[in-house]
Coordinates of all heavy atoms in Angstrom, one line a residue:
K1207 N 7.8 37.1 -16.8 CA 7.4 36.9 -15.4 C 8.5 36.6 -14.4 O 8.3 36.3 -13.3 CB 6.3 35.8 -15.3 CG 5.1 36.2 -16.1 CD 4.3 37.4 -15.5 CE 3.0 37.6 -16.2 NZ 2.3 38.8 -15.7
G1208 N 9.8 36.6 -14.9 CA 10.9 36.4 -14.1 C 11.5 35.1 -14.0 O 12.5 34.9 -13.2
F1209 N 11.1 34.2 -14.9 CA 11.8 32.8 -15.0 C 12.8 32.8 -16.0 O 12.7 33.3 -17.1 CB 10.7 31.8 -15.2 CG 9.7 31.7 -14.1 CD1 8.4 32.3 -14.3 CD2 9.9 30.9 -13.0 CE1 7.5 32.2 -13.2 CE2 8.9 30.8 -11.9 CZ 7.7 31.6 -12.1
S1210 N 13.9 32.2 -15.6 CA 15.1 32.1 -16.4 C 15.0 31.1 -17.5 O 14.3 30.1 -17.3 CB 16.4 31.9 -15.7 OG 16.4 30.7 -15.1
A1211 N 15.8 31.2 -18.5 CA 15.8 30.2 -19.7 C 16.3 28.9 -19.0 O 15.8 27.8 -19.4 CB 16.7 30.6 -20.7
E1212 N 17.2 28.9 -18.0 CA 17.8 27.7 -17.4 C 16.7 27.0 -16.7 O 16.5 25.8 -16.7 CB 18.8 28.1 -16.5 CG 20.1 28.5 -17.1 CD 20.1 29.9 -17.7 OE1 19.1 30.7 -17.3 OE2 20.9 30.3 -18.5
D1213 N 15.8 27.7 -16.0 CA 14.6 27.2 -15.2 C 13.7 26.4 -16.2 O 13.2 25.4 -16.0 CB 13.8 28.2 -14.4 CG 14.6 28.6 -13.1 OD1 15.4 27.7 -12.7 OD2 14.3 29.8 -12.7
L1214 N 13.4 27.2 -17.3 CA 12.4 26.6 -18.3 C 13.0 25.3 -19.0 O 12.1 24.4 -19.3 CB 12.1 27.7 -19.3 CG 11.4 29.0 -18.8 CD1 11.2 30.0 -19.9 CD2 10.2 28.7 -18.0
I1215 N 14.2 25.3 -19.3 CA 14.8 24.1 -19.8 C 14.9 23.0 -18.8 O 14.6 21.9 -19.1 CB 16.2 24.4 -20.3 CG1 16.2 25.4 -21.5 CG2 17.0 23.1 -20.8 CD1 17.6 25.9 -22.0
A1216 N 15.2 23.3 -17.6 CA 15.5 22.3 -16.5 C 14.1 21.6 -16.2 O 14.1 20.3 -15.9 CB 16.0 22.9 -15.2
C1217 N 13.0 22.3 -16.2 CA 11.8 21.7 -16.0 C 10.9 21.3 -17.1 O 9.7 20.9 -17.1 CB 11.0 22.5 -14.9 SG 10.3 24.2 -15.8
G1218 N 11.5 21.5 -18.3 CA 11.0 20.8 -19.5 C 9.9 21.7 -20.4 O 9.4 21.3 -21.2
L1219 N 9.9 23.0 -20.0 CA 9.0 23.9 -20.8 C 9.6 24.5 -22.0 O 9.0 25.0 -22.8 CB 8.5 25.0 -19.8 CG 7.5 24.6 -18.8 CD1 7.2 25.7 -17.8 CD2 6.1 24.1 -19.4
A1220 N 10.9 24.4 -22.1 CA 11.7 25.0 -23.1 C 12.7 23.9 -23.6 O 13.1 23.0 -22.9 CB 12.4 26.3 -22.9
V1221 N 13.0 24.1 -24.8 CA 14.0 23.0 -25.4 C 15.1 23.6 -26.4 O 14.6 24.7 -27.0 CB 13.2 21.7 -26.1 CG1 12.5 22.4 -27.4 CG2 14.3 20.8 -26.5
D1222 N 16.2 23.2 -26.4 CA 17.3 23.7 -27.2 C 17.2 22.9 -28.4 O 17.7 21.8 -28.6 CB 18.6 23.6 -26.4 CG 19.8 24.3 -27.2 OD1 19.6 24.6 -28.5 OD2 20.9 24.6 -26.6
L1223 N 16.9 23.7 -29.6 CA 16.8 23.1 -30.9 C 17.9 23.7 -31.8 O 17.8 24.9 -32.3 CB 15.6 23.3 -31.6 CG 14.4 22.5 -31.0 CD1 13.1 22.8 -31.9 CD2 14.6 21.0 -30.9
G1224 N 19.1 23.1 -31.9 CA 20.2 23.6 -32.6 C 20.7 24.9 -32.3 O 21.0 25.8 -33.0
G1225 N 20.8 25.2 -30.9 CA 21.3 26.4 -30.4 C 20.2 27.4 -30.2 O 20.4 28.5 -29.6

Side-chain angles (χ1 to χ4, degrees):
K1207 295 296 183 180
F1209 295 98
S1210 68
E1212 290 74 16
D1213 283 339
L1214 300 180
I1215 293 171
C1217 66
L1219 287 169
V1221 63
D1222 187 342
L1223 291 182

